[in-house]
Amino acid sequence: DVKVTQSSRYLVKRTGEKVFLECVQDMDHENMFWYRQDPGLGLRLIYFSYDVKMKEKGDIPEGYSVSREKKERFSLILESASTNQTSMYLCATSPGLAGDEQFFGPGTRLTVL
Amino acid sequence: GENVEQHPSTLSVQEGDSAVIKCTYSDSASNYFPWYKQELGKGPQLIIDIRSNVGEKKDQRIAVTLNKTAKHFSLHITETQPEDSAVYFCAASGPDKLIFGTGTRLQVFP
């Protein structure tokens, strides 16, 4: 059974803080993804990684960066959090980039005050 | 760029009735179309998917149809139950990612 865990379910941060969201998977998948979910906008891809130390920008990368030092761990970094980054953040993992099932973590609801 | 439109955004049905959610996509090269269900407080979970070499796929009360010519695909849930209440997302494959629709909140009333 694939398990994707995210470091926090709820997080409250202040404007300007550096924020780290961690995602860990136990299925040895090559590909990992970070999405943000907002009402009426669906799931929007922020960044994805297809291998250790490899990353690609998604549709909305501005204000975010990522790190993948180990295959099982993919981190999303908000260098200087802003109120418009208040959202639900979802991590996913998949054996393929576009043609395979994606397995999602439970999400982190981030509030930036 | 690639786009997936999903309708309706909300859907309310009586228990036992059918529910249909429709999606259209823009990239004619898309060949994989999954549907995800997101229950409250959880991440989305795949419930059914279809590839472009078939027109219909069924799994118990859930079915998906695909019309590649019209670039439409739909999710059909029959004999709805209260536990079907959730947010549903369609998606279509792009060159290197899945493109998700904006979601449909389905409410099934007892």
Side-chain angles (χ1 to χ4, degrees), chain A residues 4 6 8-10 37 88-90 104-109, chain B residues 37-45 85-87 89 105:
Chain A
V4 182
Q6 295 185 229
S8 306
R9 294 301 302 271
Y10 300 94
Q37 180 180 6
M88 170 69 82
Y89 290 87
L90 290 162
F104 286 85
T108 295
R109 183 162 294 282
Chain B
K37 176 184 181 182
Q38 185 179 27
E39 297 176 336
L40 201 61
K42 297 183 178 180
Q45 188 170 10
S85 296
V87 178
F89 293 98
R105 181 173 297 277

Side-chain angles (χ1 to χ4, degrees), chain B residues 18-88:
Chain B
S18 295
V20 181
I21 303 170
K22 299 181 179 183
C23 290
T24 60
Y25 61 98
S26 60
D27 187 356
S28 56
S30 294
N31 58 13
Y32 175 64
F33 307 91
W35 285 89
Y36 288 82
K37 176 184 181 182
Q38 185 179 27
E39 297 176 336
L40 201 61
K42 297 183 178 180
Q45 188 170 10
L46 181 77
I47 53 171
I48 195 167
D49 56 12
I50 191 169
R51 298 192 185 269
S52 58
N53 56 346
V54 297
E56 186 173 356
K57 185 176 178 181
K58 194 172 180 181
D59 183 4
Q60 298 181 19
R61 296 186 297 108
I62 293 172
V64 57
T65 58
L66 172 64
N67 182 330
K68 284 220 75 178
T69 305
K71 296 185 196 169
H72 289 171
F73 58 114
S74 300
L75 177 72
H76 304 253
I77 306 174
T78 58
E79 300 172 29
T80 53
Q81 300 168 5
E83 51 266 37
D84 294 328
S85 296
V87 178
Y88 292 81

